[in-house]
């Protein structure tokens, strides 16, 4: 699914959600911003994706692993599962990420594959997205699915 950066979230809902902004929904048919990003940003984004214990920034999980829109590969992110004390693989194409904006009271919605787009396809997300990820306090609990459902229901937006 392709959405231009900074458009209102409109994925499987009956009308756009103005509180949720699309970031990083790339497609090979569309130009995207490229450039280097700081290793600290990639590290923090990885941390957010592989952890979902105390905080959980992932929502709209699906059972299959959607492949990359650019290289068509299924992307797995290796990580240490602390509960099982084992090296495991996290599929990046099975969920979306919801990041609270530091600029205003909106949220950014991205595919889990955004990590792969940044790291392997040199996608450079808008600076406000980078700043918002860097500003996240990972000592605080967060539940992306509850947050998304609340925004959707309070705006009387239904799932399609
Ligand atoms: Zn790819």
């Amino acid at each position: 699914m392709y959405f231009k950066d900074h458009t209102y979230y409109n994925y499987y809902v009956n009308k756009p959600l103005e509180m949720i902004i699309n970031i990083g929904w790339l497609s090979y048919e569309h130009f995207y911003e490229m450039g280097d990003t700081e290793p600290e940003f990639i590290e923090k984004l990885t941390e957010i994706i592989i952890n979902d214990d105390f905080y959980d920034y992932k929502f709209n999980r699906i059972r299959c692993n959607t492949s990359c829109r650019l290289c068509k590969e299924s992307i797995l992110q290796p990580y240490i599962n602390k509960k099982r004390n084992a090296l495991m693989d996290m599929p990046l194409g099975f969920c979306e990420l919801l990041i609270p904006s530091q600029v205003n009271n909106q949220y950014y919605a991205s595919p889990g594959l955004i990590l792969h787009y940044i790291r392997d396809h040199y996608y450079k997300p808008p600076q406000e997205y980078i700043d918002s990820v860097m500003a996240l306090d990972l000592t605080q609990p967060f539940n992306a699915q509850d947050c998304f459902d609340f925004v959707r229901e309070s705006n009387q937006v239904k799932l399609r």
Side-chain angles (χ1 to χ4, degrees), residues 34-145:
M34 292 174 92
D36 289 330
T37 43
E38 296 293 321
E40 295 76 24
F41 165 65
I42 295 179
E43 240 170 68
K44 186 148 183 194
L45 194 60
T46 307
E47 178 88 10
I48 287 166
I49 291 173
I50 62 177
N51 284 318
D52 52 14
D53 194 2
F54 183 61
Y55 56 79
D56 188 358
Y57 288 90
K58 297 187 283 271
F59 74 110
N60 287 355
R61 286 171 169 80
I62 52 171
R63 278 166 186 267
C64 59
N65 188 16
T66 311
S67 53
C68 171
R69 308 287 295 178
L70 304 175
C71 67
K72 309 289 179 205
E73 297 288 322
S74 283
I75 310 299
L76 298 172
Q77 170 67 38
Y79 74 106
I80 308 273
N81 184 309
K82 287 170 192 157
K83 275 181 219 154
R84 298 187 197 175
N85 198 21
L87 184 65
M88 298 181 73
D89 286 321
M90 170 85 65
L92 291 185
F94 87 116
C95 67
E96 300 169 38
L97 295 179
L98 194 71
I99 306 292
S101 171
Q102 297 300 306
V103 181
N104 49 36
N105 60 354
Q106 290 174 313
Y107 296 89
Y108 303 112
S110 312
L113 281 164
I114 193 171
L115 176 63
H116 167 70
Y117 293 150
I118 294 165
R119 200 178 44 197
D120 303 315
H121 297 295
Y122 306 104
Y123 165 57
K124 190 175 173 62
Q127 192 59 42
E128 63 186 67
Y129 181 84
I130 295 173
D131 292 345
S132 297
V133 168
M134 293 312 290
L136 292 179
D137 180 357
L138 301 185
T139 66
Q140 296 299 313
F142 183 76
N143 187 304
Q145 190 67 58

